Amino acid sequence: MENGGIMKKWKFKVNETLLKASNKTVRGVLNMVMENINNDDDDVRQVIALGHGDPSCFPCFRTSPLAEQAIVDSLLSYRYNCYAPTVGILPARKAVAEYLSKDLPYTLSADNVFLTLGCTQAIEVVLSALARPGANILLPRPGFPYYEARCAYIGLEDRHFNLLPEKGWEVDVDGLEALADDNTVAMVIINPGNPCGCVYSYDHLQKVAETARKLGIIVIADEVYDHLVFGSKPFVPMGVFASVAPVLTLGSISKRWIVPGWRFGWLAANDVHGIFLKSGLIESFKSSLNVSSDPVTFIQGAIPEILEKTTEEFFTKIINVLGQGADICYNKLKEIPSITCPHKPEGSMFVMVKLNMSLLQDIEDDIDFCIKLAKEEKMVVLPGTAVGMRNWLRITFALEPTCLNEGLERIKLFCQRHATTL
């Protein structure tokens, strides 16, 4: 019997919305690119991945031994083999509140903090709580595509404001205002920036907060790369401006501690005026967490030790390696005529670069570029289309320097091979 005949017997159908949403994520696009890696035995080169922000496999990015020992101690204590409260265990919530409060002009309490399975679940919780019928949210372009994917899945309309490469990827505030209407509930700002590597100044963040107040919307501050800055600007948390506009801060230990696989994050309500509490949003967060999974309990048990006692020497080492990688990336990219880097990265682990298609032959667009690069050079780079910028690329520099240099050299050779002839 043909497959069509077999399927007529069954009444279920797959969730097409989920399939479409999955294809919009970084993972979905990178998996598509990686399917084109050339595995011929004749090419013995290792695959080099400049497409994602997980440097944990490199010795120079190993996490703090203190963090590892805290996990071991927590596990062996036998105190954390139980279920945790849906909002997270109290000592861990207190520790996160104290960690965030160090950079704020006020003090957060444990009641302001909700623990999540990485920053990804924090995104899910916030968007689900805001997704009333007809609502829309303002997202940056370029940005982190999980926001769009989640919006598509839950039926929350997304609208995009531009980040301006010629101004260090600052928010186009005028464009932001033009997008909003009575159904706009929030805007997202990612700082330090993924995918741009930008770090916003105090003055620019204040302007964003004042615009949000004018529009009457929440600021969702994605700060998963908090403190990973190596340029001239310091990291300024959006929560500093919570007296201007209400701020929801999303974060995790994934990037600063180089442990993305530990899946520990948080959502913090910077609720200076009690807006979230009065509106019922806090209860909505709790309701969302009641129908989802929790961070692993023994990792929650280790969090106070990790957040309170990790040394500045560890953080400085990571910052120095990232800064070195940013320098290598920026300088090597300048050697490639068909690629333009409009702004040297100052934070996070990424840089956005533009393809000059007129200088490339046999390349249709950024997706075609990345697929052929994978086939010819065993290289993985994220096409800019995945983050909202056609004919751009997102490149990570969070690699061991020798590996990064080799990867960039392969991109250079690929571009030379496909250069237009005069």
Side-chain angles (χ1 to χ4, degrees), residues 258-331:
I258 320 295
V259 288
W262 289 10
R263 310 306 298 152
F264 180 86
W266 55 78
L267 158 62
N270 299 276
D271 200 16
V272 174
H273 300 299
I275 295 169
F276 298 141
L277 189 62
K278 296 172 185 175
S279 67
L281 197 58
I282 297 298
E283 288 303 313
S284 184
F285 295 156
K286 293 177 182 178
S287 296
S288 181
L289 291 167
N290 280 338
V291 293
S292 62
S293 301
D294 316 320
V296 175
T297 312
F298 68 80
I299 294 182
Q300 294 189 47
I303 286 301
E305 184 82 3
I306 293 171
L307 294 185
E308 294 164 14
K309 296 186 179 181
T310 301
T311 65
E312 285 301 319
E313 287 78 9
F314 166 75
F315 294 133
T316 299
K317 173 179 174 291
I318 296 299
I319 289 295
N320 288 341
V321 176
L322 284 173
Q324 181 184 2
D327 288 340
I328 291 171
C329 196
Y330 185 69
N331 291 328

Side-chain angles (χ1 to χ4, degrees), residues 386-406:
V387 296
M389 298 285 279
R390 187 172 185 268
N391 292 337
W392 289 66
L393 307 172
R394 187 192 77 169
I395 297 175
T396 181
F397 46 83
L399 286 81
E400 189 276 330
T402 301
C403 188
L404 177 60
N405 268 304
E406 181 180 346

Side-chain angles (χ1 to χ4, degrees), residues 144-174:
F144 181 52
Y146 189 78
Y147 286 95
E148 285 86 351
R150 191 66 189 176
C151 284
Y153 186 57
I154 63 177
L156 178 62
E157 180 191 352
D158 55 67
R159 301 179 179 182
H160 293 87
F161 59 88
N162 291 324
L163 305 182
L164 306 173
E166 68 276 11
K167 293 186 177 181
W169 297 105
E170 287 187 348
V171 173
D172 178 5
V173 176
D174 293 335

